[in-house]
Amino acid sequence: MAFEELLDKVGGLGKFQMLQMTLILPSLMVVVCHSLLENFTAAVPGHRCWVHILDNATVSDNDTGILSPDVLLRISIPLDSNLKPEKCRRFLHPQWQLLHLNGTFPNMTDLDTEPCVDGWVYDHNLFSSTIVTEWDLVCDQQSQKPLIQSLVMVGTLMGGLIYGHLSDRFGRKLILRWCLLQLAISGTCTTFAPNIFIYCLLRFLSGCSIAVVIANNCSLIIEWTRSQSKGMVLTLIYCALSIGQMILGGLAFVFREWHTLQLVVSVPFFVFFLSSRWLVESSRWLIITNKPDEGLKELKIVAHRNGMKNVEETLNLEGLRATMQEELETTQTKTTMFDLFRTPNLRKRTCLLFFVRFANSISFFGIIINLQHFGSNIFLFQVIFGVLTLSVRCLALYPMNKVGRRPIQMLSMFLVGLSILINIFVPQDMQTLRLILASVGISCVAASQTSFSVHQSELTPTIVRAKAAGLDLLANRCGAALAPLLMALVVYLPTLPWIIYGVCPIIAVPVLLLLPETKNLPLPDTIQDVENNKKFSRKASEKDFYIKVTKF
């Protein structure tokens, strides 16, 4: 916590922090497109079986040319329970007798049918191509779409664990730059994937990078920001993610061919990789990892950029060691992921935060990856959800700073679960009401995510914060990976996935009561800070906050 004193000397929210955010926020806007890309590149268009009499261009429809395509479709494709053409079966032989029924419908089960042995015909009005149309991921192969979505999320899970550890060992900036390059290369190569296996492998590698690009960018901003401004900064980060959702909807509307859309959201990461060289490594991390000389160098760079004068007299190695003496003593022992569970208070916080993040994620991804469940205009839905999350994340800053992190999370997560459960009882033909309830749910998830991220960063000590962020991403991606797989349960009960999506956030509400409130408290730097559980005066913190803001 002593690092706050050093940060006050060099400027906790000034020109440097603004420049750092200017470099970071654009990459966050684009990286979220990769997380939700399969909403569009793997969209399932209308389809039916290919039939020789109707779709073979070398064969005339009939000798006299008097039969229309609708008539030929009627005698070739059976109707489902909704009197729509079947998507996965066709008549074994043309049923000419159906031409003389005058609006009546026979029992289709009495007629011989077969699977789509010659392939499918797709509706290209919405998308010129998707991976579904390219590799025929429909009917018996339709389960591959949620598997691909889950594979991307598993990639983010693995990336969070592996690169989270490497970030604590080698630095936030170095690992971030590597992941930006990895995402640029793997995303671009995905455009030219020759088969579904290569596509899945490349998307998995992209997923490994997605988690770290978000986590390390956040760390490079948060660890350079004073405690009183963390809520505002994290809100800006989440607003950037919401803008990314809106950008994806617009790009998908313009680029209807999946190869082009994939390339458009991948190439910018080569630019982000080059511009990341101007980012400044976290001095907080450098000092905690026993590199005070390098940390002091970065502090002086920040002081210079923030226009802080006469800091050379007070900002020196001796002063830094005196200020951070307790923290530097802890660097003699290397930390691991297991350090999050060694001591009772930190172990309790870690487990509770894991469950809350999991419950939050499973409801968020349950809504956001099933856009086609709410209607056909998924471009509009993507933009609407982006606008809503952007608005709510901006508005959540005031009550979060006024009321606290915990009450906002509890109210938001309860409303998330309630809106999803109510939607179960709304008929499918009432699409407007279903969309409104889904919008309420996604808005509340956004508010909960914003307050949770602030809360989580304030509950975790600096020395293991990247590892905690990796574990947080593990919980996040466990929920994200499970959410699409739950849709396979519709074969047993159509509402079962949505019941799970709704119940999980409601269960998390009483769990939040077991976590302490952190409003206006400084960041803990060491595990001992958490175990000591020091009681800071909120009145003193608030008074100090107003003094600092006025001075700034």
Side-chain angles (χ1 to χ4, degrees):
M1 296 182 183
F3 185 79
E4 298 288 330
E5 299 177 21
L6 298 174
L7 201 55
D8 286 337
K9 295 179 181 179
V10 301
L13 186 64
K15 183 179 178 181
F16 162 76
Q17 282 80 6
M18 299 304 172
L19 291 173
Q20 190 97 329
M21 283 189 282
T22 302
L23 291 171
I24 286 173
L25 294 182
S27 64
L28 292 177
M29 293 178 191
V30 183
V31 76
V32 73
C33 296
H34 277 270
S35 298
L36 306 176
L37 201 55
E38 270 75 25
N39 266 340
F40 303 97
T41 59
V44 182
H47 56 277
R48 60 169 176 80
C49 292
W50 187 95
V51 290
H52 180 79
I53 194 173
L54 181 60
D55 302 308
N56 193 339
T58 63
V59 178
S60 173
D61 289 343
N62 52 82
D63 293 336
T64 61
I66 60 174
L67 297 182
S68 67
D70 290 339
V71 171
L72 293 173
L73 183 64
R74 183 177 181 183
I75 65 175
S76 303
I77 304 293
L79 302 179
D80 61 17
S81 58
N82 296 320
L83 303 181
K84 301 290 184 180
E86 280 277 2
K87 296 180 178 181
C88 300
R89 300 194 69 82
R90 68 182 186 181
F91 289 126
L92 190 60
H93 304 288
Q95 303 297 316
W96 298 102
Q97 72 276 15
L98 297 180
L99 298 178
H100 310 290
L101 295 178
N102 296 324
T104 61
F105 299 94
N107 186 357
M108 293 296 178
T109 58
D110 295 335
L111 304 177
D112 293 332
T113 62
E114 64 179 354
C116 302
V117 293
D118 294 318
W120 289 262
V121 175
Y122 296 99
D123 180 4
H124 294 289
N125 289 329
L126 202 59
F127 294 98
S128 59
S129 77
T130 68
I131 64 171
V132 171
T133 64
E134 182 157 337
W135 293 307
D136 291 329
L137 305 182
V138 293
C139 298
D140 292 341
Q141 302 297 318
Q142 64 181 341
S143 62
Q144 291 196 32
K145 176 186 174 179
L147 285 176
I148 292 171
Q149 290 176 308
S150 294
L151 191 62
V152 175
M153 300 308 173
V154 170
T156 62
L157 185 156
M158 297 301 296
L161 287 175
I162 297 172
Y163 288 127
H165 172 73
L166 294 177
S167 294
D168 275 337
R169 184 170 183 180
F170 299 108
R172 281 75 160 120
K173 179 180 174 180
L174 177 64
I175 302 303
L176 171 63
R177 298 200 70 202
W178 169 261
C179 288
L180 287 171
L181 182 60
Q182 179 176 315
L183 184 54
I185 295 173
S186 61
T188 303
C189 291
T190 302
T191 306
F192 309 102
N195 54 57
I196 190 65
F197 175 78
I198 299 299
Y199 176 89
C200 290
L201 177 61
L202 291 170
R203 286 294 289 153
F204 175 82
L205 292 175
S206 294
C208 290
S209 304
I210 290 171
V212 188
V213 170
I214 295 175
N216 284 23
N217 272 328
C218 291
S219 294
L220 286 177
I221 295 178
I222 293 300
E223 294 182 4
W224 276 116
T225 306
R226 63 188 181 193
S227 298
Q228 295 87 352
S229 303
K230 289 192 306 291
M232 181 191 70
V233 170
L234 273 173
T235 299
L236 287 175
I237 291 172
Y238 273 100
C239 286
L241 299 178
S242 296
I243 293 172
Q245 293 182 43
M246 298 162 59
I247 291 173
L248 177 60
L251 290 175
F253 181 80
V254 174
F255 303 104
R256 306 294 184 94
E257 206 272 336
W258 81 266
H259 297 89
T260 307
L261 180 60
Q262 177 74 44
L263 190 64
V264 165
V265 299
S266 300
V267 170
F269 283 94
F270 287 106
V271 178
F272 298 145
F273 166 72
L274 295 175
S275 64
S276 64
R277 66 185 298 269
W278 288 293
L279 293 174
V280 177
E281 180 59 272
S282 169
S283 179
R284 188 189 293 261
W285 171 81
L286 289 168
I287 295 171
I288 290 298
T289 53
N290 202 23
K291 299 176 183 177
D293 293 335
E294 297 179 40
L296 182 63
K297 178 182 176 181
E298 303 291 12
L299 283 168
K300 291 180 178 179
I301 291 174
V302 173
H304 175 72
R305 292 184 182 178
N306 279 338
M308 305 295 287
K309 300 179 180 179
N310 301 323
V311 294
E312 296 290 341
E313 300 176 1
T314 57
L315 197 61
N316 50 56
L317 193 58
E318 291 73 18
L320 185 148
R321 291 184 182 278
T323 303
M324 303 284 291
Q325 181 178 0
E326 180 180 348
E327 287 75 9
L328 286 171
E329 290 175 357
T330 65
T331 63
Q332 304 304 318
T333 304
K334 297 294 183 180
T335 61
T336 66
M337 186 71 73
F338 295 105
D339 287 313
L340 292 167
F341 301 94
R342 291 189 192 279
T343 54
N345 284 343
L346 187 56
R347 179 170 60 246
K348 175 184 174 182
R349 291 185 183 187
T350 301
C351 293
L352 295 178
L353 288 169
F354 186 95
F355 178 77
V356 173
R357 172 62 86 180
F358 173 82
N360 193 306
S361 298
I362 199 170
S363 57
F364 173 77
F365 285 97
I367 298 173
I368 204 69
I369 66 174
N370 290 303
L371 294 184
Q372 287 188 306
H373 180 74
F374 306 109
S376 59
N377 197 344
I378 57 177
F379 311 107
L380 180 60
F381 297 160
Q382 184 71 66
V383 174
I384 288 175
F385 287 170
V387 171
L388 288 172
T389 55
L390 174 63
S391 303
V392 170
R393 283 163 176 166
C394 290
L395 296 174
L397 179 62
Y398 177 77
M400 186 169 59
N401 286 334
K402 196 72 175 177
V403 179
R405 285 63 162 134
R406 195 172 58 179
I408 298 301
Q409 289 182 72
M410 294 173 64
L411 177 62
S412 300
M413 296 196 75
F414 177 76
L415 293 177
V416 170
L418 186 64
S419 64
I420 293 175
L421 293 176
I422 292 175
N423 220 343
I424 294 174
F425 302 99
V426 179
Q428 288 287 340
D429 56 353
M430 300 179 65
Q431 292 295 323
T432 302
L433 180 57
R434 294 179 65 82
L435 179 60
I436 290 173
L437 288 171
S439 299
V440 171
I442 206 71
S443 300
C444 292
V445 169
S448 177
Q449 285 179 336
T450 302
S451 55
F452 177 87
S453 295
V454 176
H455 201 197
Q456 190 262 353
S457 68
E458 293 173 342
L459 287 171
T460 309
T462 301
I463 195 168
V464 290
R465 186 166 294 122
K467 293 181 177 65
L471 195 63
D472 176 63
L473 282 168
L474 170 63
N476 187 16
R477 297 311 164 182
C478 282
L482 184 60
L485 292 180
L486 287 176
M487 294 308 296
L489 298 178
V490 297
V491 298
Y492 304 105
L493 180 65
T495 58
L496 186 55
W498 297 100
I499 292 174
I500 298 174
Y501 295 151
V503 169
C504 285
I506 292 178
I507 295 176
V509 172
V511 173
L512 285 164
L513 289 172
L514 302 176
L515 289 169
E517 179 59 66
T518 58
K519 181 170 71 80
N520 288 335
L521 295 182
L523 282 174
D525 281 328
T526 66
I527 295 175
Q528 196 60 41
D529 286 337
V530 174
E531 295 308 310
N532 290 342
N533 198 24
K534 298 175 182 177
K535 303 295 183 180
F536 294 91
S537 170
R538 296 188 184 277
K539 291 184 178 181
S541 297
E542 291 170 1
K543 181 180 179 182
D544 183 56
F545 164 69
Y546 291 119
I547 292 173
K548 290 175 183 175
V549 168
T550 304
K551 181 180 178 181
F552 172 74

